Amino acid sequence: MPIEVILPKVDMDMETGTIEAWHVKEGDLVRQGDTIFEIGTNKAVMEVEAPASGAIRNIKAETGVPISVGTPVAWIYLDGEAATTPSEPAAAAATVAAATSLPKAEAQVAPVMAAAPTSSGLRATPLARRIARQNALDLKTVTGTGPRGRIGEADVTRHLEQRPRCTPAQDARPAPTLSTNVSEGRLQPFSAIRRIVANRLSESMRTAPHFYLTSEIEMSAARDLLGRLAKRHERIGAPKPSLTVLIARIVARALRDHPVINASVEGEATRFHERIDIGIAMERDGDLVVPVLRDAGGMDMPAMTREFARLREGMAKRTLTPAELGGGTFTISNLGMYGVDSFTAIINPPQGAILAVGRTVDKPVGRNGQIVLRPMANFTLSSDHRIVDGVAAARFMADLREALENPELLL
Amino acid sequence: MPSDTLEAVSEIRELSYAEAVREALAQAMEADERVFLFGEDVGVYGGAFGVSGDLVHRFGKERVIDTPISELGIAGAAVGAAITGMRPVLEIQFSDFVTLAMEQLVNQAAKIRFMFGGKASVPMVVRLPGGSGTGAAAQHSQSLEAWFAHVPGLKVLQPSTPHDAKGMLLAAIDDPNPVLIFEHKLLYKTKGHVPAEAYRVPIGKAAIRREGTDLTIVGSSIMALKAEAAAERLASEGISAEVIDLRSIRPIDFTTIAESVRKTHRLLVVYEGVKTMGIGAEISAMIAESEVFDFLDAPIIRLGGADAPIPYNPVLEKAAVPQEDDIVTAATNLVRRGEA
């Protein structure tokens, strides 16, 4: 019997996944453990290994189309099995019918077509869903203006009008217009991660009332400390610490005294997290990913530096699990290394706050009646006003300033 | 009939609803001697709402028969007469009293044709003045049409205009099956254009009273009129309502409703009968089950009668059934906010 290759469940709350890319093609011989495709969940992209050795046959799943967990996507024919037998179970064929019935051209341009009808918890009128289907539009990207956020016809129409002209027309044959009209530029469908980022951040801006507090903080002491830590780490064989890690360490300590900043919105309640898990916003191949320093509150600098290095490497090699890429309780985004002075970040939902770190630059400041140069950096905290009030955020910023300017106080 | 002159007159002729019904009865009796009237006070008194008027003098007591106060007796005699080849038209003085005639209407009239394999049929017409608004309290104000629309073998009509009242009654008398016509008491005095000749309005065909694009309002009988008036007001607020007058509850013209909803994407069903388990529920379900479901851009809204006996107090009586204002409000909410 051929071995079924199913779309695996790689994350706890995963219901559908999208095959981002096939690493094999029809008829390829694979060895058990070989990577055969990449799967995008709502948190990360994972590689899926062949469950057996043999020839890949009957690849049923298009890339870019959400598929239910457990759906067979291909079969591996073992040695000696008649590889030509089209013996995939009928039920499986039916399950993926929606996906496979897409014309190829359409699937490439409109990778999310099947999402709308299956997405759970999405409020949309039947007409809105119909129009979305016809236009290969993912309703998750549409903002509903109806009662309780319900998406109606007008919302979809408005969305379609605002969409670039590459939108598949009603007959879903957009490719020719794309290739003949160079002035419109290149159309790149969202990757799974881009889609997640787009959806989550839109949702955050839509639902979380953001407010922003900026503090300009002197970094002399932090810089000195970083220098001393670098020497110590070298001695004990730990990686060289970066400013980001030091900030994460100090933030983690400060968060201990500010449970409301280390909290999330959960329906109409505030979830206070016992553990401090700090997500660090990073870039990978043009995508925004946020690996998480678990229990950052309980780590010393060497441990945190090592963990941070491990996450970076895992990210580059794409070996991180979805669990390592989600579920933080607070996020830090540092763009200082790009020369950004200061910025405001969008909260990573359902977290209640995010800290945006700008570059450290020598600036004239007043000290004891003298103008002196000091390394200064802007820290901007974005808070969700549903759970964090101005004073609470300001207190956190005050403590953060004190800790960064006097790191020895943390001892 | 000297048709030239009559038709010329008919173009400008207005009759009341009651007069239109009476004219239909007279023309049917003139054309077919098997047609006769039957009911409480339909003769000398001219009918409780004056519908039969002078017919007893024109056609005699043999054909316009005053009956004892026994709805079961009236209905039973009519079923018998119909089976034996007559064309009885009976009046249930207030439609509320039809409860007493249920056995004959539901168990006999509706079923005989089927139980005898088509060898017998029951070509009878029952006229039932119904509805609220006359201060007649809980036992004289009900809208019971949905009860009968639930019974296979019966046809149930609710004409809203004098034109349809005449044309549908004539069509009902022609029909070989038992047909119930619910006439809203408040409509009897309304006037409208009624051609003089004996014309028929087909049973089972709704009328689009007003074309619109933003929502479909479905009603029948007096609710069709209220919907039309509401649509006029909605238009001044920039909402384009399509108004469908059902005219016939069973058979129901689902095609017309479906085509309209396919166009407008929103549906408001208005009916005077008690909202719960009523006509609106049936229409909503038909849309939800059909391919038109995919064209809905908002929940289907029912405006129906209160879940209460019709009160005697005139303020409460009015509040117990949908009024023009209610329709305007519900339609506005449906179009502007997505629900009523």
Side-chain angles (χ1 to χ4, degrees), chain A residues 78-330:
Chain A
L78 308 180
D79 232 15
E81 279 182 332
T84 49
T85 323
S87 70
E88 84 267 18
T95 321
V96 293
T100 52
S101 66
L102 290 173
K104 255 206 147 57
E106 185 186 346
Q108 280 161 7
V109 182
V112 293
M113 169 134 177
T118 54
S119 62
S120 56
L122 185 79
R123 282 181 195 281
T125 66
L127 183 62
R129 289 177 191 274
R130 179 187 155 85
I131 297 171
R133 271 199 305 278
Q134 285 173 340
N135 289 281
L137 169 70
D138 184 357
L139 277 176
K140 283 193 230 116
T141 63
V142 179
T143 305
T145 59
R148 296 177 297 282
R150 190 173 58 218
I151 300 166
E153 179 199 13
D155 299 322
V156 177
T157 314
R158 199 179 313 120
H159 188 92
L160 288 172
E161 279 165 4
Q162 285 166 1
R163 216 157 61 154
R165 276 204 38 220
C166 55
T167 301
Q170 293 225 332
D171 62 357
R173 263 176 289 131
T177 48
L178 283 180
S179 52
T180 54
N181 199 343
V182 284
S183 66
E184 286 182 1
R186 184 172 66 98
L187 175 74
Q188 176 169 338
F190 280 0
S191 68
I193 287 195
R194 177 52 44 194
R195 205 155 58 229
I196 296 155
V197 168
N199 290 341
R200 284 172 63 86
L201 295 186
S202 307
E203 178 69 14
S204 177
M205 276 310 254
R206 195 159 56 233
T207 59
H210 285 57
F211 71 94
Y212 311 98
L213 300 185
T214 302
S215 296
E216 194 177 37
I217 297 176
E218 184 179 334
M219 301 298 282
S220 313
R223 232 180 214 181
D224 290 350
L225 178 59
L226 205 55
R228 294 200 300 275
L229 283 170
K231 284 180 193 148
R232 176 162 186 267
H233 282 203
E234 200 178 344
R235 228 170 31 243
I236 62 172
K240 191 179 171 205
S242 68
L243 181 62
T244 303
V245 178
L246 180 64
I247 291 171
R249 174 73 190 88
I250 290 173
V251 163
R253 176 60 189 83
L255 282 172
R256 272 205 252 162
D257 301 329
H258 297 272
V260 77
I261 310 294
N262 193 52
S264 300
V265 180
E266 205 169 296
E268 295 194 350
T270 305
R271 168 77 65 188
F272 293 96
H273 300 289
E274 286 180 2
R275 212 171 57 191
I276 294 162
D277 295 339
I278 295 189
I280 309 286
M282 291 189 194
E283 190 244 6
R284 178 185 66 194
D285 303 344
D287 282 327
L288 170 65
V289 288
V290 187
V292 176
L293 292 162
R294 294 275 160 218
D295 199 11
M299 272 188 236
D300 60 11
M301 267 309 281
M304 193 179 274
T305 310
R306 283 196 185 96
E307 175 65 5
F308 188 66
R310 187 188 72 80
L311 289 174
R312 282 193 94 116
E313 195 188 337
M315 205 179 58
K317 292 185 176 167
R318 294 177 174 265
T319 54
L320 293 186
T321 64
E324 287 168 311
L325 286 168
T329 60
F330 184 88

Side-chain angles (χ1 to χ4, degrees), chain B residues 41 52 155 223:
Chain B
D41 291 329
S52 42
K155 295 185 177 180
M223 286 304 158

Side-chain angles (χ1 to χ4, degrees), chain A residues 223 243 333-343 356-363 376-378:
Chain A
R223 232 180 214 181
L243 181 62
S333 177
N334 181 3
L335 294 180
M337 54 287 239
Y338 300 101
V340 171
D341 291 317
S342 73
F343 66 105
V357 183
R359 69 168 168 161
T360 303
V361 60
D362 286 345
K363 286 175 92 174
M376 305 296 290
N378 284 308

